[in-house]
Amino acid sequence: MALSGMRGLSVFISDIRNCQNKEQERLRVDKELGNVRTRFKNEKGLTHYEKKKYVWKMLYIYMLGYDVDFGQMEAVSLISAPKYPEKQVGYIVTSCLLNENHDFLRLAINAVRNDIIGRNETFQCLALTLVGNIGGREFAESLAPDVQKLLTSSSCRPLVRKKAALCLLRLYRKNPDVVNVDGWSDRMAQLLDERDLGVLTSSMSLLVALVANNYETYWSCLPKCVKILERLARNQDIPPEYTYYGIPSPWLQVKTMRALQYFPTVEDPNARQTLFEVLQRILLGTDVVKNVNKNNASHAVLFEALALVMHLDAEKEMMSQCVALLGKFLTVREPNIRYLGLENMTRMLMVSDVQDIIKRHQAQIITSLKDPDISIRRRALDLLYGMCDVSNAKDIVEELLQYLNTADFAMREELSLKAAILAEKFAPDLSWYVDVILQLIDKAGDFVSDDIWFRVVQFVTNNEDLQPYAAVKAREFLDKPALHETMVKVSAYILGEYSHLLARRPGCSPKEIFTILHEKLPTVSTSMIPILLSTYAKILMRTQPTDPELQNQIWAIFHKYESCIDIETQQRAVEYIALSRKGAALVDIMAEMPKFPERRSALIQKAEETEADTAEQSAIRLRAQQQTSSALVMTEQRPANGMPPVSQHSLVKVSRMSNEGGVFQQDPNTAGQGVTQANGTLSVVDPQPPEPSADLLGDLFSPLAIEGPPGAAVKSKHNMASGPQGAPNEEEILALAPVEEQTNPVQPIGNIAERFRALCLKDSGVLYEDPYIQIGIKAEWQAHQGRVVLFLGNKNTAPLLSVQALILPPSHLMMELSLVPETIPPRAQVQCPLEIINLQPSRDLAVLDFSYKFGTHVINVKLRLPAVLNKFLQPISVSAEEFFPQWRSLSGAPLKLQEVVKGVRPMSLAEMANLLNSFRLMISPGLDPNANNLVASTTFYSESTQAMLCLIRIETDPTDRTQLRMTVATGDPTLTFELKEFIKEQLISIPTISRAPAAAPPQAQPTSPTTIVSDPGALLAGLLH
């Protein structure tokens, strides 16, 4: 940008740089825009110099981020100027200010065409650059033939032809149906004979795009590509300017080998022999050196050569050389080289007869699981998963189970799923499979999907010889002091069905098993209680002769939950009390579960359907070989009770070549089926109704029935409206967005509200997922500050475009999100840190407004961020000597507030204590003389309150667990009110559609109506709540 002589432009830029704040800059820009607009109105009096100067100013203002809604016509008119300085300004500003759909571009087509067909090479380059940058449909229709003529013209200089090739490539990619390339096979073959490497490299890029759509037309180009590779490998006639650190034009080598991968094979024996000689030279001539730039170039060529070797099904000797070379890379200190070695070794697994060669490096691959770099650990996991078979399954699965103890939280879900698939697919016997799955659930409970424990339950139910062994193992795990809820589920089901097989073992009497299971009841969630009630009923039924003491204990539990506010729990309790009074008839009603309909594992089926991650969207047509395995496959049969077969529930597909973030890919076979939305409604895409099915496990454990992915058209009473009038249920209230805004072409995977609630209690997990993207969160909180990292993972082999993320913070949070890239590459993950500062106490929520484009779909979602009030709490232990003076000093409103809370979810005192602990409130036992009361303390951090001690007292009534009296005392009126309301929201069981602020004491209003109305984050969070 030549600014010499433009004093006015230089002064304007200097003024902008000297502005002290944004407001001064805006005022200076507005003044300049007004001046430019005035001068443009009197266009006849403008000289070319003045018009050029003012257009430069417009461009500079546009680059500063201000809207420029005039002057485009003046910029377009400069394209027709006869002199280079004015024409250059016109082309640059037009390409920046106008997009391909702008109406003013039509006025420039003729001027651009005149420059293209003219004789001035400088003007031709400017015109080709503009057309390539904009690439609109009208440009393609009008100018593509002229660009093609320039490319094939022998009278044009190489610089122009090179730009013409790149311009034509851009037009073809944007509008393949408009650019006519019929009969271009001979022309492309002629272009590949070009001696100038600049033109040859650009032409090769064009060839890659052409053969990707239709390789059959360009067979004549294949031998030309082989000759180019041979010329480069022998370094024949390569100008010094195209030699990069001693490597002849590595970019052209990579593009040429990529083009060859689109052809099925090389039929000419001479060409094939020459090609293999070139590849052999590349394999043997590549080594690791200290120069990073040379390493990057040589390895780019090498790994493209490896992909071509796999594509051509080279001899086993060359494959062995490839694996040996990659194995050597695993021992290099440079992490990037180790990563590439693991990634390409994973790709080579898809070639026949290579797996045994890769097994020689199993010890090095296992060592890579402990690498400091998480991306290397992920690639090592993918490789171990792919190379596993019957011979090494035990070793690999045991290594994965050991690695679970130290694995990153971001990897544990993927790791546990892959370990479960391998254990099932290559299990030498069923008892080993049960051991592995139970260890897996014990070590990674939060990250084990329900499908995994459903599957082990199916195997135990269908194999009588396995039932005593499974019952013994389940009983052993119950002795552990800390047990995950999923393990409690498995143990409760197995012992409920088969504990009678252990009756003669010490410690396994019905009463002892009931006692140890009942000890877990206070620690489980509401959804787990129906499972335990079913287990109690089964134990009671199988206790012969009847134990009156045990019977009374179980009946008392049933009576306790008869009035439970949870419908499922209440129904189970009422039904089991009625059934238990039927005497001998109970034995028939509560008999063992019948065998499940035998079917092939959905986990294994999805694993075998996983797509390979290949260059240029499956350019390498590798033939995946079916592995022989001893997978646990069941044969189809009808259950004994004549029920129809259980519908096969599937799991989301794990991509073996997935990139960072543990990203999963949705099964394409589920497309077209009903889609269960996050708000509990069912959107039917396929007009064909699903076949009726009965889920026996679901009938026992409902609503914990085996649940498929969002594509499964499964309706239940929980998915329907909660009443005849269609009153919104909890799922609808906590939906992703209001109903009128849910117009996205894709539906989220999983329940958005459940994911949000889970992240309110933990600091890492998945916030949102759909078939294209996964948004994860990892947070750190210290005092009044927090750092949240958003992990945006692209799950597909195509990029996500127009990515935008906007944070709508409430007034009490100061939030700053780092730059979000507009494009997320295929199979890639980006990290976007979000800094948070808590200014004052409030329950309002921040909202992430996230949008992206995939293909023709534009997806926009609004997600609540788990920057909730309890994240700024720090539990603190308070002794009686410290508590009571503080409690007495905070006397009366507004520092001490008391409220009788009704509609509380019925729970024991221990359950309530666990709930409060999960929200960072420390229970202080013994402070309150009444054993039915709880006293808790914590410290709240914000900029306005600093470290503020918070004291809470909860008085319960043993005869009525649905109400309690709560007292909250702090040194800040707003904090007292907000903390009281926050705790109350966690205790009551029925959420409201929108949170109306409770009436605060007249002495201190925590928030003003004006603040609420003017806070967009709070308003949007209220809609989403």
Side-chain angles (χ1 to χ4, degrees):
M1 184 184 296
L3 303 181
S4 59
M6 294 188 186
R7 185 174 178 276
L9 178 59
S10 301
V11 170
F12 172 62
I13 294 175
S14 177
D15 291 346
I16 291 294
R17 291 176 177 175
N18 293 330
C19 290
Q20 299 296 320
N21 51 51
K22 193 69 177 176
E23 183 64 21
Q24 290 183 9
E25 178 184 291
R26 187 184 62 80
L27 293 175
R28 182 67 181 89
V29 167
D30 288 344
K31 177 182 178 181
E32 193 63 37
L33 284 176
N35 179 46
V36 174
R37 190 191 299 269
T38 303
R39 298 305 301 269
F40 278 169
K41 287 181 179 179
N42 187 21
E43 188 176 356
K44 294 181 179 180
L46 285 179
T47 64
H48 285 295
Y49 164 78
E50 291 176 322
K51 185 184 291 187
K52 180 176 64 173
K53 179 179 67 175
Y54 293 135
V55 170
W56 275 134
K57 288 184 178 181
M58 287 171 44
L59 178 60
Y60 182 69
I61 293 172
Y62 177 78
M63 292 169 62
L64 289 175
Y66 296 93
D67 291 333
V68 178
D69 54 1
F70 68 95
Q72 291 87 352
M73 187 63 191
E74 284 74 12
V76 171
S77 65
L78 285 175
I79 294 177
S80 305
K83 296 182 180 180
Y84 174 78
E86 288 79 13
K87 189 179 287 288
Q88 179 201 30
V89 176
Y91 275 116
I92 292 177
V93 177
T94 300
S95 62
C96 292
L97 296 185
L98 305 184
N99 59 39
E100 61 183 78
N101 299 317
H102 204 287
D103 293 336
F104 281 150
L105 278 182
R106 298 175 184 172
L107 305 177
I109 289 179
N110 286 334
V112 173
R113 185 173 184 275
N114 291 334
D115 287 339
I116 289 177
I117 64 178
R119 294 296 180 181
N120 191 315
E121 295 175 352
T122 305
F123 293 175
Q124 286 177 328
C125 292
L126 287 174
L128 291 171
T129 303
L130 173 70
V131 175
N133 285 336
I134 295 179
R137 190 176 186 86
E138 292 190 14
F139 271 14
E141 292 175 347
S142 305
L143 304 177
D146 297 316
V147 177
Q148 290 172 330
K149 290 179 182 178
L150 272 185
L151 177 59
T152 56
S153 173
S154 59
S155 61
C156 290
R157 289 181 58 193
L159 175 63
V160 178
R161 297 178 63 198
K162 180 171 64 174
K163 285 187 174 289
L166 296 177
C167 178
L168 186 61
L169 172 62
R170 164 73 167 167
L171 294 177
Y172 182 73
R173 284 177 174 172
K174 288 280 292 182
N175 311 281
D177 56 326
V178 175
V179 180
N180 184 12
V181 291
D182 295 338
W184 258 70
S185 175
D186 295 335
R187 296 183 185 180
M188 284 305 305
Q190 293 174 5
L191 287 172
L192 296 183
D193 289 329
E194 178 67 41
R195 305 308 296 175
D196 185 275
L197 288 189
V199 177
L200 190 57
T201 304
S202 301
S203 301
M204 190 60 69
S205 299
L206 178 60
L207 177 64
V208 171
L210 293 173
V211 296
N213 288 341
N214 182 16
Y215 68 88
E216 296 179 353
T217 309
Y218 299 94
W219 277 106
S220 59
C221 297
L222 192 148
K224 305 277 189 182
C225 292
V226 176
K227 288 183 179 179
I228 291 173
L229 274 182
E230 183 182 16
R231 172 190 170 188
L232 294 172
R234 295 181 178 178
N235 203 358
Q236 294 178 346
D237 193 20
I238 307 298
E241 60 268 22
Y242 285 96
T243 302
Y244 185 78
Y245 286 92
I247 304 172
S249 189
W251 306 276
L252 181 56
Q253 291 190 55
V254 169
K255 291 178 184 294
T256 306
M257 287 187 283
R258 183 159 298 181
L260 287 172
Q261 293 172 45
Y262 285 101
F263 295 97
T265 184
V266 180
E267 297 177 350
D268 184 5
N270 294 328
R272 185 178 179 88
Q273 180 64 29
T274 303
L275 182 58
F276 279 130
E277 289 176 0
V278 172
L279 295 176
Q280 187 82 11
R281 186 190 296 264
I282 294 174
L283 294 178
L284 298 178
T286 304
D287 204 353
V288 179
V289 296
K290 292 184 178 180
N291 191 298
V292 177
N293 293 327
K294 184 173 183 179
N295 272 339
N296 292 339
S298 60
H299 290 142
V301 175
L302 171 65
F303 291 126
E304 204 66 46
L306 289 174
L308 185 56
V309 168
M310 290 185 284
H311 174 70
L312 296 175
D313 279 342
E315 291 78 4
K316 190 172 183 180
E317 181 180 355
M318 182 172 285
M319 290 293 184
S320 300
Q321 290 179 356
C322 294
V323 176
L325 184 61
L326 293 175
K328 188 169 66 172
F329 285 172
L330 299 184
T331 61
V332 177
R333 293 183 59 184
E334 173 62 35
N336 291 332
I337 297 177
R338 294 202 304 275
Y339 178 92
L340 292 172
L342 290 168
E343 184 181 43
N344 283 274
M345 200 174 282
T346 305
R347 295 187 181 189
M348 294 200 71
L349 284 172
M350 304 191 69
V351 182
S352 58
D353 302 328
V354 175
Q355 189 166 359
D356 291 336
I357 305 174
I358 296 179
K359 286 181 185 176
R360 302 170 189 169
H361 304 277
Q362 180 172 319
Q364 292 175 321
I365 299 169
I366 291 174
T367 304
S368 298
L369 278 177
K370 304 175 180 64
D371 194 277
D373 193 326
I374 187 173
S375 59
I376 293 178
R377 297 197 295 271
R378 287 189 181 282
R379 296 289 75 77
L381 174 61
D382 291 340
L383 181 52
L384 286 173
Y385 174 75
M387 64 185 287
C388 185
D389 59 14
V390 180
S391 63
N392 60 359
K394 275 193 172 183
D395 295 336
I396 290 180
V397 172
E398 288 175 3
E399 287 290 342
L400 295 182
L401 289 177
Q402 291 181 9
Y403 178 53
L404 260 177
N405 296 323
T406 57
D408 298 82
F409 289 105
M411 288 183 61
R412 290 193 179 185
E413 185 174 359
E414 180 183 4
L415 179 61
S416 60
L417 185 57
K418 288 184 175 180
I421 292 174
L422 295 179
E424 179 178 344
K425 192 173 183 180
F426 303 111
D429 56 75
L430 291 176
S431 59
W432 179 82
Y433 170 74
V434 170
D435 288 339
V436 169
I437 299 302
L438 293 183
Q439 290 181 55
L440 188 65
I441 295 173
D442 183 50
K443 292 182 177 182
D446 282 331
F447 304 93
V448 174
S449 65
D450 285 343
D451 298 80
I452 294 176
W453 79 269
F454 290 157
R455 188 65 174 163
V456 73
V457 163
Q458 293 168 14
F459 278 120
V460 173
T461 304
N462 288 16
N463 294 272
E464 294 182 2
D465 296 339
L466 189 61
Q467 292 166 1
Y469 180 80
V472 169
K473 301 302 290 186
R475 176 64 183 83
E476 291 176 358
F477 274 100
L478 285 178
D479 288 331
K480 290 192 172 186
L483 207 61
H484 191 271
E485 185 171 305
T486 305
M487 180 58 74
V488 179
K489 290 179 184 178
V490 180
S491 302
Y493 177 87
I494 293 177
L495 292 175
E497 295 291 330
Y498 311 114
S499 60
H500 61 282
L501 302 176
L502 311 179
R504 296 183 180 180
R505 289 176 176 265
C508 295
S509 66
K511 188 172 183 180
E512 290 172 315
I513 289 179
F514 163 76
T515 301
I516 195 169
L517 279 173
H518 192 53
E519 290 175 356
K520 311 298 180 184
L521 182 63
T523 64
V524 301
S525 62
T526 304
S527 60
M528 175 66 195
I529 296 177
I531 300 178
L532 288 175
L533 296 183
S534 301
T535 301
Y536 298 162
K538 295 252 180 179
I539 293 175
L540 179 62
M541 177 270 296
R542 291 196 173 90
T543 305
Q544 299 297 335
T546 303
D547 184 343
E549 182 181 356
L550 176 62
Q551 186 181 58
N552 292 334
Q553 286 180 331
I554 295 177
W555 280 1
I557 296 172
F558 289 161
H559 283 299
K560 172 185 175 182
Y561 287 102
E562 271 186 316
S563 59
C564 179
I565 197 165
D566 181 70
I567 298 176
E568 182 66 27
T569 304
Q570 183 186 101
Q571 181 179 350
R572 293 290 170 90
V574 172
E575 289 176 351
Y576 290 151
I577 288 177
L579 289 174
S580 62
R581 293 171 180 161
K582 291 186 178 293
L586 180 63
V587 178
D588 297 328
I589 297 172
M590 300 295 291
E592 284 186 15
M593 289 289 291
K595 290 186 177 182
F596 289 92
E598 311 287 2
R599 62 178 184 265
R600 189 162 180 261
S601 170
L603 299 181
I604 295 178
Q605 182 179 353
K606 299 307 173 188
E608 291 177 351
E609 292 173 357
T610 302
E611 297 177 358
D613 180 18
T614 55
E616 288 279 339
Q617 301 184 14
S618 301
I620 311 173
R621 313 294 183 182
L622 298 177
R623 273 73 62 194
Q625 301 296 321
Q626 187 74 16
Q627 293 180 343
T628 58
S629 69
S630 59
L632 310 179
V633 181
M634 307 182 191
T635 57
E636 190 72 25
Q637 66 178 19
R638 296 281 293 182
N641 60 359
M643 295 292 288
V646 180
S647 60
Q648 181 166 345
H649 300 278
S650 57
L651 191 72
V652 293
K653 175 165 56 180
V654 178
S655 174
R656 183 169 63 181
M657 301 301 297
S658 65
N659 211 315
E660 309 302 324
V663 174
F664 296 113
Q665 186 175 3
Q666 189 185 24
D667 182 8
N669 295 333
T670 61
Q673 299 178 2
V675 178
T676 304
Q677 301 178 8
N679 62 356
T681 60
L682 188 73
S683 173
V684 180
V685 180
D686 190 347
Q688 298 179 355
E691 296 181 2
S693 62
D695 192 335
L696 303 181
L697 187 63
D699 292 341
L700 178 65
F701 284 172
S702 180
L704 295 173
I706 302 178
E707 193 171 71
V714 181
K715 289 186 180 181
S716 70
K717 63 184 178 183
H718 304 282
N719 287 341
M720 309 307 291
S722 58
Q725 292 79 19
N729 56 25
E730 179 181 358
E731 304 301 323
E732 293 170 328
I733 295 165
L734 297 173
L736 174 63
V739 175
E740 63 271 15
E741 296 181 9
Q742 293 188 3
T743 58
N744 284 329
V746 299
Q747 297 298 330
I749 297 175
N751 190 304
I752 305 298
E754 291 294 339
R755 294 186 189 276
F756 171 77
R757 282 196 291 269
L759 287 171
C760 289
L761 299 178
K762 59 183 183 179
D763 291 334
S764 63
V766 177
L767 178 67
Y768 171 80
E769 184 174 6
D770 63 29
Y772 304 138
I773 196 170
Q774 184 187 65
I775 303 177
I777 276 185
K778 187 172 183 180
E780 296 178 354
W781 307 93
Q782 184 174 5
H784 67 287
Q785 297 179 342
R787 177 182 173 85
V788 178
V789 180
L790 299 177
F791 295 87
L792 311 178
N794 183 356
K795 300 163 53 176
N796 292 273
T797 56
L800 301 181
L801 307 175
S802 303
V803 179
Q804 292 185 353
L806 176 65
I807 300 295
L808 302 177
S811 58
H812 75 285
L813 293 179
M814 183 184 299
M815 311 180 77
E816 182 177 353
L817 180 66
S818 66
L819 184 65
V820 178
E822 293 188 359
T823 302
I824 302 179
R827 306 284 191 186
Q829 183 189 72
V830 296
Q831 301 181 14
C832 303
L834 172 64
E835 303 294 339
I836 301 176
I837 297 178
N838 185 26
L839 304 178
Q840 60 189 22
S842 175
R843 290 168 294 133
D844 293 333
L845 298 176
V847 173
L848 170 64
D849 188 346
F850 185 81
S851 63
Y852 67 93
K853 181 178 181 182
F854 183 85
T856 58
H857 297 314
V858 178
I859 295 92
N860 177 259
V861 293
K862 295 177 176 61
L863 306 168
R864 294 174 295 165
L865 292 176
V868 289
L869 185 141
N870 64 293
K871 299 294 185 181
F872 304 102
L873 298 177
Q874 184 64 42
I876 183 174
S877 178
V878 179
S879 63
E881 292 78 10
E882 298 170 327
F883 179 86
F884 289 107
Q886 290 284 347
W887 185 262
R888 285 190 291 268
S889 66
L890 301 171
S891 58
L895 300 181
K896 181 186 289 185
L897 298 179
Q898 189 176 87
E899 182 178 349
V900 175
V901 182
K902 298 183 179 181
V904 176
R905 180 170 65 251
M907 65 183 84
S908 65
L909 209 61
E911 291 176 306
M912 187 176 296
N914 289 336
L915 178 63
L916 295 178
N917 279 329
S918 67
F919 287 100
R920 305 187 182 188
L921 305 175
M922 178 169 285
I923 302 298
S924 301
L927 286 185
D928 197 308
N930 190 337
N932 294 315
N933 298 346
L934 292 176
V935 174
S937 56
T938 188
T939 304
F940 176 79
Y941 291 90
S942 72
E943 275 199 350
S944 62
T945 63
Q946 299 300 320
M948 181 69 66
L949 179 65
C950 308
L951 305 176
I952 301 98
R953 184 188 185 202
I954 296 179
E955 304 167 82
T956 65
D957 183 359
T959 62
D960 186 3
R961 291 292 185 185
T962 63
Q963 63 178 359
L964 53 83
R965 183 166 65 183
M966 176 172 58
T967 308
V968 178
T970 76
D972 182 80
T974 303
L975 175 58
T976 303
F977 175 78
E978 293 291 343
L979 183 59
K980 175 181 71 72
E981 292 299 312
F982 175 80
I983 298 174
K984 184 172 71 173
E985 288 174 354
Q986 313 312 315
L987 294 176
I988 60 177
S989 58
I990 303 177
T992 56
I993 295 179
S994 61
R995 187 186 71 196
Q1003 292 88 340
Q1005 290 291 339
T1007 55
S1008 65
T1010 305
T1011 303
I1012 295 177
V1013 173
S1014 62
D1015 189 347
L1019 288 174
L1020 191 51
L1023 290 174
L1024 301 178
H1025 189 68

